Amino acid sequence: MDYYDIALSSGLEKLGGMLGYKKILVAGKDFPVAEIGSNENQSGRVAIGSDTNTLLKACRAFASAVILNTYAIDKSLIEGLKEYHTILIIPFNQIIGNTGFKLSKSLYLARRLFLYAKKKRIEVGFATLADSELGMESYIQLIELAKLIGASDEDARKGLNIAGRLVNV
């Protein structure tokens, strides 16, 4: 199985082979990021954000996937993801960069979000969403992080393959 990661800044693609990924995708470069509020056709784009209402509008209009910047569970957003068959991508950047209480809180909230999404039968993917080399992790580390928040080995591996399906690599 091929594994993919999503990063926020370019220049990190060169780390892909070293970290075990087939490719590291850069948001806005390798796949289109939604410009919410624009009137142009944006079908197949990925919406990134934390505002529930805005992300829900993106699901209705065009988004093939949603990347949450927060781990807060919003039942209306999860129902919208299910209704419009939109993929939820859980970023690990809040977990990777934290220590102590913030790390514990992030793990707890990410676990609750993942388990609720799986309960509602939402397809879930995982990514680092790194903006620097310090935020990058190998695919094995991401699989273990996914297991830490409640994913099975199979779910974790499928979750790292989802980004590749978004861009038809």
Side-chain angles (χ1 to χ4, degrees):
M1 182 178 287
D2 295 327
Y3 302 110
Y4 300 88
D5 193 12
I6 299 173
L8 291 179
S9 62
S10 58
L12 300 176
E13 308 96 287
K14 64 182 181 261
L15 299 174
M18 186 172 51
L19 295 174
Y21 298 107
K22 181 172 182 180
K23 185 171 185 181
I24 294 178
L25 307 169
V26 177
K29 179 181 173 189
D30 293 317
F31 62 88
V33 175
E35 294 176 22
I36 300 169
S38 174
N39 291 330
E40 69 180 66
N41 179 13
Q42 299 191 63
S43 62
R45 295 192 180 211
V46 177
I48 301 174
S50 57
D51 180 39
T52 302
N53 293 329
T54 307
L55 291 174
L56 198 52
K57 287 178 188 174
C59 289
R60 281 190 211 114
F62 54 80
S64 60
V66 167
I67 300 175
L68 288 176
N69 286 337
T70 179
Y71 297 137
I73 296 174
D74 188 315
K75 293 180 181 181
S76 63
L77 177 62
I78 298 296
E79 292 299 326
L81 292 172
K82 183 175 182 174
E83 181 180 346
Y84 299 109
H85 307 289
T86 306
I87 298 167
L88 170 65
I89 297 179
I90 298 176
F92 287 133
N93 59 346
Q94 294 176 31
I95 294 172
I96 293 168
N98 284 327
T99 60
F101 178 73
K102 286 185 177 183
L103 174 63
S104 297
K105 182 179 177 184
S106 295
L107 283 170
Y108 171 74
L109 293 174
R111 180 178 177 84
R112 284 186 55 217
L113 176 63
F114 173 76
L115 294 176
Y116 187 72
K118 287 306 287 183
K119 177 182 171 186
K120 293 295 183 177
R121 293 188 169 92
I122 305 291
E123 192 169 11
V124 179
F126 305 105
T128 59
L129 222 62
D131 55 1
S132 71
E133 290 183 12
L134 296 174
M136 295 300 300
E137 301 290 340
S138 73
Y139 82 95
I140 295 172
Q141 290 169 314
L142 284 190
I143 289 171
E144 294 303 318
L145 279 172
K147 287 186 201 177
L148 194 60
I149 65 167
S152 68
D153 190 59
E154 181 182 350
D155 287 340
R157 291 176 186 278
K158 282 182 184 176
L160 289 178
N161 195 356
I162 284 179
R165 288 192 358 235
L166 289 177
V167 296
N168 299 320
V169 175

